[in-house]
Amino acid sequence: MPAGTARTNQPVRRLLGMIRGHVSRLALAVTASVLTELAALALMGTAAWLIARAAQQPSLAALSLAIVGVRGFAVSRGVFRYAERLASHDAALRALATMRGRVYDALVPLAPGGLPAFRSSDLLNRMVRDVEAVQDFVVRVLVPVATAAVVGVLTVGFGTVVLPAAGVVLAVGLLVAGVVVPALTLAVSRRAALRLGPARAELAARTVDVLRGNADLAVFGAGRQALADADRAAAELAAVERRAAWTTAATGALAMLVQAATTVGVTMLAAGAASDGSLAPVMVPVLTLVALISFEPVLPLVPAVRHLLESRDAVRRVLAVLDAPPPVAEPHAPLPAPSPAAVIEVRDLRVRYAADRDPALDGVDLRLEPGRRVAVVGASGSGKSTLLAALMRFAEPESGSILVDGADISRFGSDDVRALITGVTQDAHLFHTTVRENLRLASPSASDDDLRAALASAKLDSWVDSLPKGMDTVVGESGGQVSGGQGQRLALARALLADPPVLVLDEPTEGLDPETADELVADLLASTRGRTTLLVTHRLTGLNEVDEVIVLDSGRVAQRGTHAELVAVPGLYYDLWWASGLRLSEGVEP
Amino acid sequence: MLIIAQAVVLAEVLADAVLDQPSVSRLAAPLAAFGGILAARAVLAWCQQVLAHRAAASVKAGLRRSALAHIQRLGPAWLSGQHTGGVTTTLGRGLDALDPYFTGYFPQLFNAAVVPLAVLVFVATNDLASAVIICVTLPLIPVFGVLVGLQTKKATERQWKALERLGGHFLDLVAGLPTLRAFGRAKAQSAAVRRTAEEHRSATMGTLRIAFLSALVLELVATLSVALIAVPVGLRLLNGNLDLHTALVILLLAPEAYLPLRALGSQFHASTEGLAVAERVFTILDEPVRKSAPADAGPARDSLVPRSPMPVRALAGTGRRALPGDASVGEIRFEDVTVRYPGRDEAALDHVSLTIVPGEHVALVGPSGAGKSTLLGVLLGLVRPDSGRVVVETGSGPVDLSGADPEHWREHLAWVPQRPHLFARSVAANIRLGRPEASDDEVRRAARLARAESFIEQLPRRYDTELSERGTGLSAGQRQRIALARAYLRDAPLLLMDEPTAGLDAGSEAAVVEAARQLTAGRTVVVVAHRPAMIVEADRVLRLVKGRLVEHAGTDSHRPAEVV
C-alpha cells in the first residue's frame, strides 16, 4: 500500500536491497501477521454467521462446526499474534545485524578523518541510533504494509465470491483507506515538517545560547532577553505544533470515515441482495462484520507513515556514511611492508581537509631516522595532529610527499604503514572490556609479563595491582573505574606494548596532573631513548632531551631546532617557554 | 483538558452502544444512522486527537520554558558538570517523546476506566447472563496482566543489562575505530561486530519470547472471553430464548469491553520513553539553586569555572544596595577574601588582600587552578567570597560588593573571556550584547577598534551575517575579536580579560593583542595572562599560587629569567 510511495524513495529502496537477505524471515513475519488478521476476521465472521444462523433455529449439529471455528479462531489469533511479534522482531534484529556489519565495514576506512562523526560523540551516538532505525522500519512499516496488502486482497477476494458488488465497494474502501489516506498523511506530514524544522532549529539555537552563553549573558546583562527569546521560540514551536495537530489528527479520522462509509455500503448491498434472494440472509451480518474488521490492518498504516518518514531520514544519513569516500586510497598493488629500520622523510607536505578551507598543514619537512626523537609543539589547530594523521595514513596529502625508505607512502598498504608508525593517537579509546584486553589489542600475542612491563613503564602497575580484579577489571565507557589520567596512561601502556618502530605520542600527558605529567614525560623520554619517536605536546618540559623541536603555527613550520637553540632567540617557542616557566608546574591548557 | 477528554470518551461509548442496533435492519434510515454514528465517532476521535496534540504542545512548551529558566538560575556551576549537547537534545526533540503519552496513553487511560464499565452496564440491561460472564472475565485481564507481568519481569530484568551491553558493543567499537586502526585491528573486529549483533539478536529474542507471553495471555483471555459469551448466546438464540438483535449487540460490544484494557498496556509501553525524558527534565527542575540568586545571576563558563562542579554564590543577601549606573567606580579593595568550593580541601582563594586603583592595569599570572579565574569570578559577581569582602569606592561612598545588586555592578564592567560564546544571531547583534540600543555606527566603530572590521566586511552579509551556532565558521581569533568589539561597545570603566589569546596562532594573537591594547587605554584592567604580549603592558603583575598572592612583581618582570 504506501509501498507505492516507498518505492519512489531512493533511501528506502536501497534499505530494502540491503536487507534482502532476510526475505524468508520477513516473509515468515508477514505470514504470521496475515494469519493473525485473518483469524480475527474469521472469528468475527464465523461468530456473526453462527448467531445469524442460530436465529433461524436449525439443529445444533448444523452449528457445531461454527462453534468449534469460533473457539479455534479465538485461540489461534492470540497464538498467531505472538508468533508474528516474535518473527517480526527476529527479522528486524537480523536486519540490524546486517546493517551494523555493513556500516562497520564502511566506517573502517573512514576513521578517523573521513567522517565528522568521529569528532563528536553526539554525532556518533546519533549515527548508531540511525542504524537501529532499521528495526523500526521492519516492525512498524514493512510488516504492517505487507500485511495490510495481503489481508486487503484476501478480504476483497472473499467479498467478491460472496457478493461481487460488495467486493468492489470493499476494494475501493480499502484502497482509499490504505493508499490514498496514507499518501495524504505523507503530504501533510511533509508540509508540517517544513514548518516544524525551522521552529525546532530556532528553539535549539536559543537553548544553546542560554546554556553555553550563560556567563556572557549574565555579565553583559542580557540573560533575561535570551530567556525571553528562548521562550518565544518554544511558544512558536508549540503554535506550529498546535496548527499541525488539526491536519495530522484529521487523516486518522478520515480513514475511520472511509471505514464507516464502506461498511454502510457493503451492508446496504448485502441487505439488498438478501431481500431479492440472491444472498443468504445469514451472510448479511457476516459481510458487514468482515468489512468492518478488514480495516483493522489498514488503519495502522496512517501512523506507519510517521515511522516511514523517520526511518527514511535515518536511513538517508546512514547511506551518506556508506557512500562517503575514504580519505585515503589503498594501493592496488601494495609494496611489501616497509622495513622496521625505514627512514621516513616528509617533503613540503601540504594537507587540506576541504577545498574551501585553508590547508591544515603547509610546506612541512621532517626527517625521521631510526633512533631520532622529534617533538612537535604549537597551539591547538596549528596542524600537529594533522601531521601525525598524514604519517599514519589517516589523511591524504594534497601536495608534497612522505617517503618511506625512498618509496612514496601511498604505495604501501595503510595497515603496513601503521604497523611501522603508531602509538597514542588523539582521543585514544578505551574499550568496554578488561584492562588486559584493552592492552592486548596492540599485541594479541603479548604475555602477562609483557603487559606488566608496559603498565610499569606507564606508571600504572601499582594502580592495576590495587584493583580487586587486577588486569581483569572491566574499564571503558561504563567501567567507571578509570580517571582521565589513568585512561591516558592505559593508552600509553598500550602504545608501548605495541612497540612500533616509530612511536607516535599525541599529547600523552593530556588530562594528567602537572606533577604526574612531568614525571611521565621524564620516564617516557628515558624509555624512548634510542627509539624513533614523534612526540606531539603542549608541555615543553624535557624537550631539551629530544633531537629536534618543530614549532608549528597555522600549519606552517614557524621554527625548528634544538630546545637550546630555540630558547635563545625571540619567537613562538621562546614565548611558550616563558609562559610555561610563568605557570610553573601547571597543566597546560589547550 | 481532563474533562473534555472524558466527555469525548463518554460520547464514544454512547456511540458504541447504539452503533450496531440497526445494522441488520433492511431499512435505509437505520443504516444512515449507523453510518452517522460511525462518522460521529471519527469526528470525535479527531477532536480528541487534536485536543491531545494541542495539550501535548502546550505541556512541552511549558516544560521547556521552566527548565530553561531554572537552568539559568542554576548557572554555570551546574552546567559545568553537564553535557550541554545532551541537555539541548532533551529539551528539544527529546520532549517530543511525550507526544505518545498525551495522544495515546492518556486518552486510553480514560477509555480503560470508562468504556468497559459502560459496556457492562449496557449489556446488563439487555442480557444479564452475558453481563455476568463479562463481569467475571473482565477482571482477569488486569489480574493476569499483573501476575504474568511480575513473572516475566523477574525473568527479563536480569537479561536487560546483558542486552544493553551487547547492544552498546557496536557503539563502543565504532567509537574506538581510530584506535583499532592505529593498531591494525579494525578489520579483525569486523567479524566480531557481526558475531555480537547475532548474540544480541538471540539474547533479545530469548527475552522477547518471555516478554511477549504476557501479551499472549491477555489476548487469549480476551478472545476466549468473547468466545465464552458468543457461544452461549448462539445456543440460547437457537432455543429461541434470545432475539437476534440483542445477540448481535452483545457480540459486537463484548470485544469492546476488553479492548481498552489490552490497548492500555501497549500504549503505556509506547509512552515510557516520553516519561523517561520527562523524568530527566524534572531532575533538572528539582536541582536546588544554591543561593537566592537574582534572575540574572550565576552564569560563568569553563574558562571561569574549574572542571569540577562549583557553587555559584551569587551576590545576594539582605540590604542589597543599589550601585547606581552612573556612579563612578573608584578603588577596588579585596579585604582578606577567601573562597572555598565544596569537596575541596584547599581554598580557591586564600585570604587575598589587594587594592586596584582606578586606571591601573593589573596582570594576573600563576599556574592554572591557582585561583586566577576565581578572582575574576569574584569581580564579575559570579563567585561570592566565603569570608572577607570586596569593597568598591563609588561617588557615594564605599559599597560592599556582596551587598550590591550584581546587575547594577556589572553595568560597570566589560568582560573578554577565554572562549567567548557567540550567539546564533547576526554579527551586529552579537556585538550589541552588552548595549542593545547601540547604533549601527557605534557597532561599526567598535568592530573597527577591535580589528574585526576587515573580516566582517568579507562575510556574505557583513554585519547582518547570521552566525551559525556557537560561531562555527569563524576562527578562534575572529571570535575573540568579536568579543573585544563587544567589550568596546560596552564601554565600561572596568575591563576584565581571561586569557584572551589562549590557543590562538601567532597571527591571530598579534591582532588580538593589538586590539586589546587599545581597548585597555583609559580603563581599569585586570587580565589573566599567559603570554608575554599581554603582560608587558601591565602596570603590575600579580602572581597567584594555590590561592595566595605570593609576590608583587614589577612591570619589568616579563623576562623569563626573572619570572621563573
Side-chain angles (χ1 to χ4, degrees):
Chain A
M1 318 206 100
T5 41
R7 213 172 296 124
T8 59
N9 287 313
Q10 198 69 11
V12 172
R13 200 165 62 185
R14 282 187 60 191
L15 176 64
L16 287 174
M18 276 184 270
I19 58 178
R20 206 174 35 209
H22 305 294
V23 70
S24 59
R25 294 279 165 181
L26 287 168
L28 196 68
V30 173
T31 308
S33 172
V34 166
L35 287 175
T36 310
E37 299 298 341
L38 288 183
L41 270 168
L43 174 64
M44 275 325 254
T46 320
W49 184 87
L50 177 68
I51 286 177
R53 185 80 183 91
Q56 298 171 337
Q57 308 199 333
S59 71
L60 185 61
L63 298 180
S64 57
L65 189 65
I67 292 171
V68 172
V70 167
R71 288 182 178 152
F73 290 133
V75 175
S76 61
R77 182 177 73 168
V79 175
F80 284 140
R81 165 88 61 213
Y82 179 65
E84 179 262 313
R85 292 178 80 182
L86 283 183
S88 62
H89 279 85
D90 185 58
L93 286 165
R94 281 173 198 272
L96 175 63
T98 303
M99 289 296 286
R100 279 185 171 165
R102 286 190 71 133
V103 168
Y104 180 84
D105 290 346
L107 284 172
V108 168
L110 293 177
L115 203 68
F118 284 112
R119 289 192 294 276
S120 149
S121 62
D122 282 346
L123 286 180
L124 211 58
N125 274 310
R126 194 181 76 171
M127 195 197 63
V128 168
R129 276 200 311 274
D130 282 344
V131 176
E132 282 163 9
V134 69
Q135 290 185 93
D136 246 20
F137 177 75
V138 169
V139 174
R140 295 182 170 180
V141 182
L142 203 56
V143 173
V145 167
T147 305
V150 175
V151 173
V153 168
L154 291 176
T155 325
V156 169
F158 170 79
T160 314
V161 169
V162 176
L163 185 69
V168 171
V169 171
L170 197 54
V172 171
L174 287 174
L175 277 177
V176 170
V179 179
V180 177
V181 174
L184 212 65
T185 313
L186 197 67
V188 166
S189 309
R190 278 216 184 108
R191 248 201 23 229
L194 282 184
R195 279 174 291 140
L196 281 170
R200 284 208 177 102
E202 170 73 9
L203 175 66
R206 296 304 146 234
T207 307
V208 168
D209 283 350
V210 171
L211 296 179
R212 314 251 344 173
N214 215 319
D216 305 64
L217 289 170
V219 172
F220 286 96
R224 240 185 297 260
Q225 183 58 44
L227 204 56
D229 288 346
D231 277 359
R232 205 175 313 117
E236 176 61 31
L237 177 61
V240 172
E241 281 177 338
R242 278 194 290 264
R243 277 201 298 276
W246 286 98
T247 43
T248 42
T251 52
L254 199 61
M256 284 176 75
L257 279 179
V258 175
Q259 181 187 26
T262 310
T263 312
V264 169
V266 167
T267 311
M268 227 141 89
L269 285 169
S275 65
D276 63 28
S278 56
L279 184 74
V282 283
M283 289 311 283
V284 176
V286 173
L287 272 179
T288 303
L289 283 181
V290 166
L292 194 66
I293 306 289
S294 66
F295 279 81
E296 276 196 357
V298 173
L299 293 180
L301 294 187
V302 172
V305 166
R306 189 171 60 88
H307 295 294
L308 173 70
L309 286 174
E310 277 170 9
S311 43
R312 198 188 49 184
D313 288 345
V315 168
R316 193 172 283 147
R317 290 190 290 265
V318 171
L319 289 177
V321 170
L322 293 180
D323 295 341
V328 173
E330 295 289 330
H332 289 298
L335 295 175
S339 117
V343 174
I344 294 157
E345 206 169 352
V346 176
R347 286 188 192 157
D348 198 23
L349 183 68
R350 179 192 289 174
V351 180
R352 196 193 293 268
Y353 285 117
D356 57 345
R357 277 168 61 187
D358 289 336
L361 211 58
D362 199 1
V364 173
D365 295 291
L366 171 70
R367 192 176 159 82
L368 279 171
E369 285 160 13
R372 188 173 166 83
R373 295 189 298 177
V374 176
V376 182
V377 300
S380 66
S382 61
K384 304 188 301 288
S385 293
T386 304
L387 178 60
L388 292 194
L391 283 168
M392 292 177 76
R393 292 296 283 151
F394 284 150
E396 191 75 69
E398 181 183 78
S399 66
S401 57
I402 302 173
L403 302 177
V404 177
D405 268 346
D408 194 274
I409 199 167
S410 64
R411 297 174 60 198
F412 297 97
S414 72
D415 278 337
D416 289 340
V417 172
R418 283 187 292 271
L420 180 73
I421 312 171
T422 192
V424 178
T425 49
Q426 220 177 9
D427 301 323
H429 186 77
L430 277 189
F431 293 88
H432 181 83
T433 178
T434 59
V435 169
R436 187 193 311 275
E437 289 307 312
N438 263 294
L439 290 176
R440 286 201 2 196
L441 182 75
S443 168
S445 57
S447 70
D448 267 16
D449 287 342
D450 297 337
L451 301 184
R452 295 210 160 273
L455 286 171
S457 311
K459 301 225 154 234
L460 214 51
D461 43 349
S462 56
W463 172 70
V464 170
D465 287 341
S466 77
L467 296 171
K469 288 183 169 179
M471 280 200 285
D472 292 319
T473 307
V474 172
V475 295
E477 185 68 17
S478 36
Q481 312 225 15
V482 185
S483 71
Q486 284 157 349
Q488 194 64 28
R489 277 188 279 178
L490 260 181
L492 186 63
R494 184 162 61 191
L496 294 173
L497 186 69
D499 195 22
V502 179
L503 181 66
V504 154
L505 301 167
D506 196 348
E507 302 287 0
T509 59
E510 192 145 277
L512 301 189
D513 64 86
E515 287 80 11
T516 323
D518 283 347
E519 250 177 66
L520 189 61
V521 168
D523 286 346
L524 264 181
L525 290 166
S527 65
T528 56
R529 198 163 288 139
R531 173 209 279 278
T532 323
T533 309
L534 191 60
L535 171 68
V536 162
T537 182
H538 283 114
R539 302 180 60 84
L540 307 188
T541 323
L543 291 196
N544 49 341
E545 287 203 35
V546 302
D547 299 303
E548 187 182 17
V549 177
I550 295 177
V551 185
L552 286 180
D553 184 45
S554 302
R556 293 174 172 277
V557 176
Q559 287 180 291
R560 66 196 309 158
T562 63
H563 172 79
E565 289 163 7
L566 291 175
V567 291
V569 293
L572 269 181
Y573 193 82
Y574 172 86
D575 284 0
L576 282 170
W577 175 244
W578 183 87
S580 68
L582 199 65
R583 295 197 236 179
L584 293 173
S585 57
E586 135 190 40
V588 178
E589 286 157 30
Chain B
M1 154 70 206
L2 253 91
I3 299 156
I4 299 163
Q6 202 166 12
V8 166
V9 171
L10 265 173
E12 251 181 356
V13 170
L14 292 180
D16 278 350
V18 261
L19 157 158
D20 45 286
Q21 277 154 330
S23 63
V24 278
S25 154
R26 288 158 202 207
L27 294 166
L31 260 180
F34 167 61
I37 288 163
L38 275 179
R41 274 190 70 182
V43 170
L44 283 174
W46 178 29
C47 293
Q48 182 253 316
Q49 281 295 303
V50 167
L51 288 173
H53 275 290
R54 292 173 66 96
S58 303
V59 168
K60 285 187 293 179
L63 276 176
R64 283 172 180 138
R65 181 170 311 144
S66 34
L68 269 184
H70 193 68
I71 285 171
Q72 199 168 55
R73 275 195 296 275
L74 288 170
W78 182 80
L79 274 171
S80 68
Q82 298 291 317
H83 177 53
T84 48
V87 177
T88 309
T89 313
T90 300
L91 292 181
R93 289 309 291 261
L95 273 178
D96 289 344
L98 269 180
D99 286 349
Y101 181 78
F102 283 98
T103 59
Y105 179 67
F106 210 52
Q108 197 61 48
L109 202 59
F110 287 100
N111 272 339
V114 176
V115 175
L117 215 68
V119 168
L120 190 62
V121 169
F122 187 83
V123 171
T125 59
N126 284 280
D127 179 41
L128 208 57
S130 297
V132 168
I133 298 179
I134 295 181
C135 203
V136 171
T137 52
L138 198 58
L140 287 180
I141 301 245
V143 167
F144 269 96
V146 169
L147 282 180
V148 179
L150 282 179
Q151 282 305 310
T152 54
K153 202 178 165 198
K154 262 188 234 157
T156 51
E157 230 165 38
R158 271 174 282 122
Q159 298 177 33
W160 282 126
K161 260 206 134 54
L163 282 180
E164 220 168 75
R165 204 174 53 72
L166 282 171
H169 179 258
F170 180 63
L171 175 62
D172 192 33
L173 278 189
V174 167
L177 251 180
T179 301
L180 289 175
R181 284 197 92 196
F183 295 109
R185 304 284 295 163
K187 282 171 194 150
Q189 292 295 324
S190 177
V193 168
R194 290 178 166 81
R195 199 179 53 240
T196 314
E198 180 56 29
E199 274 171 35
H200 178 241
R201 183 194 64 80
S202 61
T204 308
M205 289 312 295
T207 313
L208 289 184
R209 265 191 279 279
I210 299 169
F212 288 159
L213 261 185
S214 63
L216 171 65
V217 169
L218 294 192
E219 173 132 7
L220 284 181
V221 169
T223 45
L224 282 176
S225 303
V226 174
L228 216 57
I229 296 162
V231 175
V233 163
L235 292 178
R236 276 158 56 214
L237 206 55
L238 197 64
N239 302 332
N241 294 342
L242 202 67
D243 64 297
L244 177 61
H245 177 189
T246 315
L248 270 175
V249 170
I250 290 164
L251 177 68
L252 282 172
L253 272 183
E256 298 288 339
Y258 300 96
L259 190 67
L261 281 174
R262 280 196 296 128
L264 192 62
S266 55
Q267 292 286 4
F268 178 72
H269 188 69
S271 65
T272 44
E273 194 197 335
L275 290 179
V277 175
E279 190 83 11
R280 284 207 288 280
V281 175
F282 287 132
T283 316
I284 294 174
L285 285 173
D286 288 345
E287 202 69 36
V289 179
R290 296 274 181 145
K291 197 75 193 175
S292 61
D296 211 4
R301 38 180 301 115
D302 348 6
S303 61
L304 190 72
V305 182
R307 285 213 165 70
S308 56
M310 99 184 183
V312 166
R313 274 154 279 203
L315 304 179
T318 48
R320 185 172 295 162
R321 256 182 77 181
L323 198 72
D326 54 352
S328 60
V329 171
E331 203 173 82
I332 300 167
R333 282 194 309 275
F334 279 64
E335 296 178 353
D336 210 24
V337 170
T338 298
V339 174
R340 286 177 190 282
Y341 297 133
R344 303 251 189 103
D345 293 339
E346 290 171 17
L349 279 184
D350 195 359
H351 300 285
V352 168
S353 293
L354 155 73
T355 304
I356 302 165
V357 299
E360 192 181 19
H361 292 186
V362 175
L364 280 177
V365 301
S368 67
K372 307 187 297 290
S373 293
T374 303
L375 199 151
L376 272 199
V378 171
L379 275 175
L380 284 166
L382 298 172
V383 179
R384 191 179 143 97
D386 287 271
S387 67
R389 57 179 194 158
V390 179
V391 178
V392 179
E393 290 291 346
T394 67
S396 48
V399 171
D400 182 348
L401 213 50
S402 56
D405 182 331
E407 283 188 53
H408 282 135
W409 163 239
R410 289 181 192 136
E411 281 168 19
H412 297 273
L413 43 92
W415 183 41
V416 182
Q418 193 175 337
R419 282 186 293 268
H421 179 80
L422 294 193
F423 299 88
R425 296 212 176 278
S426 71
V427 173
N430 266 287
I431 296 176
R432 276 200 186 99
L433 185 70
R435 211 147 71 78
E437 75 286 357
S439 73
D440 287 354
D441 283 341
E442 287 173 307
V443 169
R444 267 195 289 278
R445 189 173 155 272
R448 191 162 55 245
L449 289 168
R451 304 285 185 282
E453 196 175 37
S454 53
F455 78 82
I456 293 174
E457 290 292 341
Q458 280 168 18
L459 293 172
R461 297 185 56 216
R462 300 201 175 86
Y463 287 88
D464 293 330
T465 310
E466 292 284 325
L467 297 179
S468 55
E469 222 166 85
R470 289 197 252 153
T472 39
L474 296 182
S475 74
Q478 289 169 337
R479 286 201 288 270
Q480 206 57 265
R481 277 177 275 168
I482 288 185
L484 283 167
R486 227 177 235 176
Y488 265 115
L489 195 62
R490 179 78 157 179
D491 196 23
L494 178 57
L495 172 66
L496 306 174
M497 296 195 280
D498 194 353
E499 294 198 52
T501 60
L504 299 189
D505 60 77
S508 305
E509 185 188 7
V512 170
V513 165
E514 203 190 327
R517 184 176 297 146
Q518 219 167 348
L519 176 59
T520 56
R523 297 175 213 274
T524 309
V525 180
V526 179
V527 57
V528 172
H530 282 163
R531 304 275 186 96
M534 291 304 299
I535 297 170
V536 288
E537 305 283 316
D539 300 322
R540 198 148 52 113
V541 178
L542 302 179
R543 176 195 291 280
L544 274 167
V545 173
K546 293 189 174 164
R548 286 197 206 128
L549 272 181
V550 290
E551 129 194 16
H552 290 230
T555 43
D556 57 349
S557 66
H558 57 278
R559 293 196 40 206
E562 292 167 44
V563 180
V564 175

